Amino acid sequence: MPRPVLDPEFAHLSGLDVGFGGPAVDLTEMRASLEELIQPPPSITGVSHRTVVIGESELSVEMFVPDQDGPYPCLIWLHGGGFMIGSAMMDAARLQDWSKRFGCIALSVDYRLAPEHPFPAALNDARQALRWVRNQADELSIDPDRIVVGGASAGGGLAAALALSARDEGVGLAGQLLIYPMIDDRQHTTSSKWDASVWPPHA
């Protein structure tokens, strides 16, 4: 008998309503509304942007490259969104600014979202992006000794998991940039005492 894609305990999440016992939220509508809000930032002098599709899985990444001489440090960024919403372009303005300010390549990963793609799909996408950056470092003019992984919220949790995975594989990283990372599923800490439809304390 094939293993179910989604644990039966969480089967109710595979539909459109995601409320965790609170007000129901239409996940499809939430994603669509967020995408409408995400607009590419105005281009700024000194930074170029391009979308790159990598690997057989056709993982999409957004790249912001400074108009400076390499080799560049590189930030691999993982967006937030409770693992269920968001996209690689939602932090584009921030990454564009950092690319120019710090002279780095900022690369945002459009990882697969839950519940359609359960763990470890998002982490595997992040790992694929890191492997690609390291394998293409010469072509991209990236300094392999100055690669940092980072993210906000769910993306911060993914970045931490990616750093642990890299360590286990013997891959060195220059650091982690974790912004309010989602790393404690027990939600006992003060910072997790907030109420939201996607990931409330009672979930």
Side-chain angles (χ1 to χ4, degrees):
M1 186 176 199
R3 181 175 178 270
V5 174
L6 191 62
D7 190 301
E9 182 181 352
F10 301 103
H12 65 286
L13 300 183
S14 62
L16 296 181
D17 290 337
V18 180
F20 298 102
V25 175
D26 187 319
L27 185 56
T28 301
E29 183 178 324
M30 181 186 292
R31 288 173 176 169
S33 297
L34 180 60
E35 286 303 311
E36 287 182 8
L37 294 174
I38 298 173
Q39 299 295 326
S43 59
I44 62 174
T45 302
V47 177
S48 62
H49 165 248
R50 69 179 185 270
T51 302
V52 182
V53 178
I54 62 176
E56 294 181 1
S57 64
E58 297 189 339
L59 176 65
S60 180
V61 297
E62 305 295 337
M63 287 188 62
F64 298 90
V65 183
D67 184 17
Q68 302 175 23
D69 293 331
Y72 311 101
C74 179
L75 169 64
I76 298 175
W77 182 257
L78 299 154
H79 67 80
F83 302 103
M84 293 191 289
I85 60 175
S87 70
M89 281 299 288
M90 66 186 292
D91 295 313
R94 168 188 286 169
L95 299 179
Q96 182 177 253
D97 175 64
W98 286 352
S99 178
K100 182 173 183 176
R101 188 187 309 183
F102 303 117
C104 70
I105 287 181
L107 184 148
S108 184
V109 184
D110 205 20
Y111 60 84
R112 288 169 291 175
L113 301 174
E116 299 94 330
H117 304 285
F119 179 86
L123 178 57
N124 286 341
D125 289 345
R127 293 173 64 192
Q128 180 180 347
L130 175 58
R131 284 194 300 269
W132 180 77
V133 166
R134 291 185 60 83
N135 291 339
Q136 302 296 319
D138 287 344
E139 181 180 335
L140 298 172
S141 194
I142 288 174
D143 181 349
D145 294 324
R146 292 191 292 164
I147 297 174
V148 171
V149 297
S153 193
L158 276 177
L162 177 59
L164 290 173
S165 174
R167 178 204 63 186
D168 292 346
E169 294 178 4
V171 175
L173 293 172
Q176 302 175 64
L177 176 61
L178 310 182
I179 301 178
Y180 49 89
M182 208 172 187
I183 54 176
D184 184 2
D185 65 343
R186 298 167 297 177
Q187 294 191 285
H188 291 168
T189 59
T190 301
S191 64
S192 67
K193 304 301 181 184
W194 63 294
D195 196 13
S197 297
V198 173
W199 199 269
H202 58 271

